[in-house]
């Protein structure tokens, strides 16, 4: 049970990441990456509190090594795991809630293509970097549409403002 509770934020974060990756790709105008460190700390403290309360109620049991050094290393490793898991959870919750709770009001936003980027990984992703009066954004586009965008090109897009930040296109850029 301790392992299950310890890994729950990580598992939920992976689930939210998969949902976000399959639903937000071509309509999201992503602002530069930011995260809320206060939210990560609060989520981590709540997570640790739940673990300690369940331990106090004898619903879970800690089993650490006997040697003092090994015990300290184990505790430190568990704390790092809790922080990383909750960091992933906060980032993926923000990503999905930003989309799910976005405004219904359609706005016009002038976008200017300032750069293009091809990300080579397991899959090749094509991005255009856009500048606007609201800041710079990144948008994933299809490989066939990637070559249609020219640096310096300007166009009006219908967008909906995200709940936290960024914008979502009413329809994918072509």
């Amino acid at each position: 049970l301790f392992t299950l509770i310890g890994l729950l934020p990580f598992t939920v974060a992976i689930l939210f990441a998969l949902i976000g990756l399959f639903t937000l790709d071509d309509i999201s105008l992503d602002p530069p990456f930011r995260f809320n460190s206060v939210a990560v700390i609060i989520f981590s403290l709540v997570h640790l509190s739940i673990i300690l309360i369940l331990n106090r109620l004898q619903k879970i049991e800690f089993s650490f090594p006997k040697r003092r050094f090994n015990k300290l290393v184990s505790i430190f490793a568990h704390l790092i795991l809790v922080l990383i898991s909750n960091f992933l959870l906060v980032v993926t919750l923000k990503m999905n809630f930003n989309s799910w709770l976005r405004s219904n009001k359609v706005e016009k936003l002038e976008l200017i293509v300032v750069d293009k980027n091809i990300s080579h990984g397991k899959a090749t992703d094509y991005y255009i970097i856009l500048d606007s009066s609201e800041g710079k954004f990144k948008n994933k586009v299809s490989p066939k549409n990637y070559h249609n965008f020219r640096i310096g090109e300007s166009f009006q897009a219908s967008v909906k403002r995200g709940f936290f930040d960024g914008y979502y296109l009413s329809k994918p850029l072509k």
Side-chain angles (χ1 to χ4, degrees):
L1 187 61
F2 174 68
T3 304
L4 177 67
I5 293 169
L7 292 176
L8 188 61
F10 180 77
T11 307
V12 172
I14 296 299
L15 177 68
F16 277 122
L18 291 172
I19 291 169
L21 289 174
F22 287 113
T23 59
L24 302 177
D25 272 350
D26 59 352
I27 62 166
S28 174
L29 291 177
D30 300 322
F33 178 77
R34 291 188 308 247
F35 73 95
N36 188 340
S37 57
V38 173
V40 172
I41 292 170
I42 290 171
F43 271 64
S44 297
L45 290 175
V46 167
H47 187 194
L48 289 171
S49 298
I50 291 170
I51 290 172
L52 292 174
I53 289 169
L54 289 174
N55 183 47
R56 177 78 100 196
L57 296 173
Q58 297 178 346
K59 299 294 182 187
I60 61 173
E61 182 180 316
F62 295 126
S63 57
F64 292 111
K66 299 257 188 252
R67 291 184 53 208
R68 185 177 186 167
F69 176 75
N70 291 346
K71 185 183 285 190
L72 289 174
V73 168
S74 180
I75 290 171
F76 182 72
H78 278 88
L79 289 176
I80 294 297
L81 178 66
V82 165
L83 278 173
I84 290 171
S85 296
N86 285 289
F87 166 77
L88 290 172
L89 182 61
V90 166
V91 168
T92 57
L93 280 174
K94 180 183 175 191
M95 174 180 68
N96 283 290
F97 283 141
N98 193 44
S99 171
W100 296 338
L101 302 175
R102 68 180 171 241
S103 172
N104 288 328
K105 181 182 169 195
V106 176
E107 304 173 22
K108 292 289 185 186
L109 188 62
E110 183 178 359
L111 301 171
I112 301 167
V113 178
V114 293
D115 199 6
K116 296 165 67 170
N117 182 19
I118 299 175
S119 172
H120 300 285
K122 260 190 168 177
T124 302
D125 293 322
Y126 297 82
Y127 295 96
I128 57 171
I129 311 301
L130 304 161
D131 198 8
S132 73
S133 60
E134 299 294 323
K136 285 193 176 193
F137 300 102
K138 176 176 68 169
N139 182 246
K140 185 176 177 182
V141 295
S142 69
K144 68 178 184 178
N145 288 339
Y146 176 79
H147 298 291
N148 295 337
F149 292 99
R150 303 216 181 333
I151 294 177
E153 179 182 10
S154 175
F155 50 92
Q156 291 283 327
S158 297
V159 296
K160 295 179 181 178
R161 188 180 296 271
F163 186 75
F164 297 110
D165 57 11
Y167 289 90
Y168 293 88
L169 298 164
S170 297
K171 59 183 178 186
L173 295 174
K174 297 205 184 313

